[in-house]
């Protein structure tokens, strides 16, 4: 009994699942629905194409991409914890040049928009990345990763200090015309000033959150896990943290928010939307069940029909009025 | 390498799930789609639980496929209970459903020139080699199986082995079969062999590697283990550095040529 969804389950035409993530941008960054595959959990998109109908997703964010290819961290890179997952991939990726040469032309043929997640160790790397991705066909938007906990230099610092967030956002915006989503780190004492800095410098949307820094310890094996010594925690364990951060930023910043962290069901999506998210990214839950995102899209349609809501955007931010 | 067959996710009815040695089980489920396309050395990702507690599926090798039984297209897994996921799995009952993703990865490859195969199995590592042995016999390849365990009661039951192979049982304490480690008997059974395929703990692979000279030109394929996230090549959680570049255990492997592996890079 295969549990894929048939194409006859497409939403009835009076229901609007479409969301816009860059209202101020010429393209608008319109997604057919608010369900996005999170960076680092969905490769370059094609890996999942045999198992699930990737073209029906709202968007796909590709693996974090750096100026030069990276080999990543030593094994083990993954450790499961209670309702969570610690990863320290260390941004293994093919590098921006190969991405432009080999992946973007494939994406250009797809219906589903692909967003490129970019990560750098210095302001210069971010600038060079933005410049190399300028005008490349097949890319719908950039997602600025200033929040990766798994590389030694740079990276996360840009997501910890509002002044650096502002500089890197402005620098990328100046060199690339694509809509820009800035992905924030939860590993900060107050996320609001950082969100404000990104918004002020022209971010079209904000994504929160990336993983929370954590570690595991293997007592019999006498070792720290993952092998890198720490990792980023994802999965249901981080959902309440992510939900709160979405709520707090939605209160302070008037930009579309993409909620991310521990989402695995339509119920979770409804909660994130109520907190102020216009769309959601789903990561770890695709490992648990590769049909998660497709199931959620179907469940969202059902929910709208059942509750007599015609436009999904009506769900955004409702909790702020309660 | 043989290209991977189509991957599917399905809920399959469990046909049986029984303990065969202390702490080890064979679970069989009905999935004609998988039985029909799976190749020896491929694996499935099994959801071990129903709630949010365990977010990762567990990789298990395909132990046997069977088209002749009443269940038309039966797939069996052989697993040891080592933690919470496999413990949960051991409690599944016939008639319940198992959530499967597969078949995944690149399996063992046997060429038309292969005449004589030596299989080296350390403990639960016998799991995918059983399927390989059965396929090799079908291709009229002679199969010798070195099957190791710590002690007699942990040895895979001889009556469950495929017909028409030459099994050599080895226990560390000598309580059954030959005494020692399977790798101690490589030399004895090597003459005439044109392909070695091994599956077992890392220590066993290192012991084979240490005897590389003795194996001379005989190619050795090993099934590697790392912790898997997605199981389909999308998360880079399983990547190892090899002599031929970065390889994802789940998609480029799990079976590799032993000479490709940099053993210092493989850790679980
Ligand atoms: C391609 C592949 C095929 C496999 N085939 C089989 C098989 O046919 N039969 C079988 O019994 N096992 C097989 N394994 C190993 C099996 O996946 C693990 O034993 C299982 O995931 C443990 O799950 P758990 O929840 O019971 O243990 P956990 O609670 O996750 O872990 C218990 C202990 O096992 C260790 N462990 C965790 N994950 C792994 C892993 N991937 N490999 C080895 N040790 C691990 C941990 O360090 C821990 O000490 C295979 C692994 C791979 C990568
Ligand atoms: C294995 C793995 C790799 C990841 N790689 C990246 C990455 O390259 N860039 C990035 O911005 N986020 C990365 N993330 C973070 C996710 O995109 C997401 O923000 C996080 O996992 C929380 O969502 P989840 O709980 O739904 O997984 C990664 C997460 C995982 C689990
Ligand atoms: S387990 Fe995800 S790439 Fe191999």
């Amino acid at each position: 009994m295969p549990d894929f969804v048939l194409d006859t389950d497409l939403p009835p035409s009076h229901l609007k699942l479409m969301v816009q993530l860059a209202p101020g941008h010429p393209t608008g960054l319109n997604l057919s629905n608010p369900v996005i595959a999170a960076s680092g959990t969905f490769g370059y998109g094609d890996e999942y194409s045999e198992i699930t109908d990737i073209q029906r997703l709202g968007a796909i964010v590709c693996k974090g991409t750096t100026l030069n290819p990276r080999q990543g961290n030593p094994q083990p890179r993954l450790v499961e914890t209670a309702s969570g997952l610690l990863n320290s991939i260390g941004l293994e990726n093919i590098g921006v040049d190969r991405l432009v040469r080999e992946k973007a032309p494939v994406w250009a043929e797809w219906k589903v928009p692909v967003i490129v997640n970019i990560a750098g160790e210095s302001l210069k790397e971010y600038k060079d990345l933005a410049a190399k991705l300028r005008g490349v066909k097949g890319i719908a938007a950039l997602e600025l990763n200033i929040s990766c906990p798994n590389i030694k230099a740079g990276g996360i610092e840009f997501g910890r200090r509002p002044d650096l967030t502002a500089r890197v956002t402005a620098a990328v915006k100046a060199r690339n015309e694509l809509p820009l989503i800035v992905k924030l780190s939860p590993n900060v004492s107050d996320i609001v000033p950082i969100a404000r800095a990104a918004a002020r410098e022209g971010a079209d949307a904000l994504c929160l959150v990336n993983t929370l820094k954590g570690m595991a310890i293997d007592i019999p094996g006498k070792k720290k896990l993952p092998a890198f010594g720490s990792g980023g925690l994802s999965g249901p364990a981080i959902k309440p943290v992510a939900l709160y951060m979405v709520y707090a930023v939605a209160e302070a910043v008037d930009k579309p928010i993409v909620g991310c962290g521990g989402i695995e069901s339509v119920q979770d999506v409804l909660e994130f939307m109520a907190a102020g998210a216009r769309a959601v990214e789903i990561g770890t839950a695709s490992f648990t069940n590769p049909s998660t995102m497709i199931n959620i899209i179907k469940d969202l349609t059902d929910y709208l029909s059942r509750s007599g809501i015609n436009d999904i955007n009506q769900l955004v931010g409702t909790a702020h009025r309660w | 390498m043989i290209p991977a067959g189509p991957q599917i996710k399905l809920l399959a009815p469990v046909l049986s799930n029984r303990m065969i040695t202390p702490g080890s089980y064979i679970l069989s489920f009905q999935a004609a789609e998988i039985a029909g396309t799976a190749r020896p050395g491929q694996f499935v990702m099994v959801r071990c639980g129903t709630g949010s507690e365990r977010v990762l599926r567990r990789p298990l090798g395909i132990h046997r496929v069977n088209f002749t039984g009443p269940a038309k297209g039966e797939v069996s897994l052989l697993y040891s209970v080592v933690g919470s996921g496999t413990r949960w799995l051991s409690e599944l009952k016939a008639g319940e459903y198992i959530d499967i993703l597969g078949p995944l990865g690149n399996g063992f490859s046997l060429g038309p020139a292969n005449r004589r195969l030596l299989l080296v199995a350390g403990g639960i590592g016998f799991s995918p080699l059983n399927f390989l042995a059965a396929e090799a016999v079908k291709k009229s390849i002679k199969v010798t199986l070195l099957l190791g365990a710590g002690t007699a009661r942990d040895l895979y039951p001889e009556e469950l082995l495929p017909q028409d192979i030459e099994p050599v049982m080895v226990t560390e304490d000598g309580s059954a079969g030959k005494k020692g480690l399977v790798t101690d008997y490589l030399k004895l059974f090597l003459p005439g062999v044109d392909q070695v395929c091994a599956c077992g703990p890392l220590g066993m692979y290192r012991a084979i590697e240490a005897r590389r000279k003795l194996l001379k030109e005989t190619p050795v394929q090993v099934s590697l283990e790392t912790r898997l996230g997605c199981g389909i090549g999308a998360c880079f959680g399983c990547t190892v550095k090899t002599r031929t570049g970065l390889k994802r255990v789940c998609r480029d492997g799990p079976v590799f040529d032993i000479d490709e592996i940099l053993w210092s890079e493989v850790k679980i």
Side-chain angles (χ1 to χ4, degrees):
Chain A
M1 123 161 85
D3 66 352
F4 48 74
V5 183
L6 298 176
D7 260 341
T8 49
D9 297 331
L10 283 175
S13 55
H14 69 279
L15 290 183
K16 183 176 170 238
L17 260 76
M18 199 190 88
V19 295
Q20 191 170 52
L21 291 188
H25 190 276
T27 73
L29 190 54
N30 298 320
L31 312 186
S32 64
N33 67 71
V35 179
I36 306 173
S39 179
T41 63
F42 218 70
Y44 296 94
D46 45 355
E47 294 87 349
Y48 270 100
S49 58
E50 270 189 51
I51 295 168
T52 190
D53 186 357
I54 58 168
Q55 301 301 335
R56 295 196 37 203
L57 300 174
I60 292 170
V61 189
C62 78
K63 176 65 197 171
T65 299
T66 50
L67 197 55
N68 298 306
R70 285 178 61 99
Q71 305 221 315
N73 287 334
Q75 285 289 346
R77 294 177 175 186
L78 299 173
V79 186
E80 194 185 65
T81 57
S83 301
L85 169 67
L86 281 168
N87 89 78
S88 75
I89 309 299
L91 278 178
E92 176 187 340
N93 77 96
I94 59 175
V96 68
D97 292 332
R98 255 184 82 191
L99 178 133
V100 169
R101 230 172 29 240
E102 295 170 20
K103 303 293 177 183
V106 178
W107 298 336
E109 305 296 316
W110 290 1
K111 188 177 118 217
V112 58
V114 178
I115 298 168
V116 174
N117 181 283
I118 55 171
E121 290 183 1
S122 63
L123 193 61
K124 176 159 189 325
E125 275 188 34
Y126 280 108
K127 286 179 180 170
D128 291 351
L129 274 164
K132 284 192 181 232
L133 291 166
R134 195 187 173 102
V136 177
K137 278 211 179 64
I139 303 176
L142 299 184
E143 183 178 75
L144 182 57
N145 178 358
I146 48 171
S147 44
C148 183
N150 294 323
I151 55 175
K152 290 219 165 82
I156 202 163
E157 275 315 302
F158 289 99
R160 280 196 177 137
R161 285 175 42 189
D163 57 329
L164 291 180
T165 305
R167 278 176 67 189
V168 69
T169 305
V172 170
K173 210 52 204 169
R175 283 164 185 80
N176 194 297
E177 71 296 348
L178 287 166
L180 181 66
I181 303 171
V182 178
K183 183 167 180 180
L184 305 183
S185 170
N187 301 305
V188 294
S189 48
D190 186 1
I191 198 166
V192 171
I194 295 163
R196 280 208 179 102
R200 198 178 52 237
E201 297 302 328
D204 294 285
L206 304 172
C207 172
L208 38 148
V209 294
N210 206 319
T211 53
L212 272 96
K213 198 161 180 154
M215 76 185 293
I217 292 181
D218 174 1
I219 295 285
K222 293 195 167 79
K223 58 187 178 201
K224 292 171 279 187
L225 289 169
F228 183 66
S230 64
L233 183 64
S234 64
I238 72 168
K239 190 189 113 183
V241 177
L243 193 61
Y244 172 72
M245 289 187 165
V246 166
Y247 187 91
V249 169
E251 201 139 75
V253 179
D254 187 23
K255 289 282 176 192
I257 294 175
V258 181
C260 179
I263 298 172
E264 53 175 12
S265 69
V266 70
Q267 192 58 43
D268 296 331
V269 175
L270 295 175
E271 292 172 23
F272 272 87
M273 294 192 93
R278 191 161 295 274
V280 292
E281 286 185 14
I282 295 176
T284 306
S286 292
F287 300 163
T288 321
N289 180 356
S291 316
T292 299
M293 290 188 284
I294 295 292
N295 290 346
I296 287 180
I297 295 168
K298 182 177 179 298
D299 293 345
L300 270 175
T301 314
D302 291 349
Y303 176 80
L304 292 185
S305 306
R306 259 200 335 271
S307 14
I309 298 168
N310 286 335
D311 181 354
I312 199 161
N313 291 283
Q314 288 168 15
L315 300 174
V316 179
T318 48
H320 295 263
R321 302 194 289 271
W322 297 341
Chain B
M1 284 289 154
I2 311 164
Q7 305 153 356
I8 48 166
K9 173 177 147 31
L10 54 90
L11 287 172
V14 174
L15 301 167
S16 63
N17 188 16
R18 62 190 182 92
M19 196 189 277
I20 54 149
T21 57
S24 294
Y25 295 73
I26 292 184
L27 184 151
S28 300
F29 57 89
Q30 188 187 349
E33 307 90 323
I34 293 179
T37 58
R39 301 206 187 78
Q42 286 193 298
F43 65 97
V44 293
M45 292 291 275
V46 183
R47 176 108 163 83
C48 293
T50 51
S52 308
E53 192 197 342
R54 279 181 292 278
V55 297
L56 295 184
R57 287 169 178 261
R58 303 307 197 247
L60 294 174
I62 296 173
H63 180 58
R64 188 197 305 140
V65 301
N66 184 1
F67 277 103
T68 56
K72 297 258 177 299
E74 177 182 345
V75 179
S76 304
L77 310 173
L78 166 68
Y79 61 96
S80 288
V81 172
V82 297
S84 71
T86 43
R87 189 172 322 113
W88 183 90
L89 200 61
S90 71
E91 287 157 11
L92 265 189
K93 300 204 168 37
E96 296 182 311
Y97 285 82
I98 181 170
D99 183 344
I100 295 283
L101 179 65
L104 302 168
N106 279 303
F108 295 100
S109 45
L110 294 179
N114 286 129
R115 289 281 163 270
R116 216 187 153 110
L117 182 61
L118 178 63
L119 303 182
V120 187
I124 205 71
F126 176 58
S127 168
L129 296 180
N130 180 67
F131 184 13
L132 178 63
E135 290 296 303
V137 168
K138 278 192 209 157
K139 293 184 176 166
S140 308
I141 298 172
K142 277 202 70 171
V143 178
T144 303
L145 167 68
L146 289 172
L147 182 58
T151 183
R153 63 184 193 130
D154 295 330
L155 259 184
Y156 187 85
E158 200 160 354
E159 67 275 14
L160 296 181
L161 291 176
Q163 309 273 298
D164 306 318
I165 68 167
E166 181 196 358
V168 180
M169 307 300 215
V170 183
T171 53
E172 283 175 47
D173 63 2
S175 54
K178 298 180 185 297
K179 184 176 170 155
L181 300 170
V182 278
T183 42
D184 299 336
Y185 296 92
L186 279 177
K187 189 175 177 185
L188 196 59
F189 291 94
L190 197 64
V193 166
D194 50 34
Q195 176 70 59
V196 177
C197 292
C199 188
L202 266 177
M204 187 185 98
Y205 296 149
R206 293 212 171 92
I208 298 178
E209 173 71 9
R211 291 167 173 78
R212 195 70 192 91
K213 279 221 182 65
L214 172 151
L215 293 167
K216 298 200 189 75
E217 300 296 294
T218 317
V220 180
Q221 296 171 36
V222 297
S223 182
L224 273 197
E225 236 184 72
T226 56
R227 295 179 196 223
L228 305 190
C230 65
I232 64 160
C235 74
F236 307 103
C238 63
T239 307
V240 290
K241 281 179 201 146
T242 70
R243 286 183 216 283
T244 50
L246 296 176
K247 293 285 160 78
R248 288 162 300 178
V249 166
C250 71
R251 198 167 185 115
D252 305 312
V255 177
F256 294 94
D257 188 301
I258 199 168
D259 295 331
E260 248 188 276
I261 306 300
L262 297 163
W263 290 102
S264 59
E265 298 289 337
V266 185
K267 292 196 194 76
I268 295 175

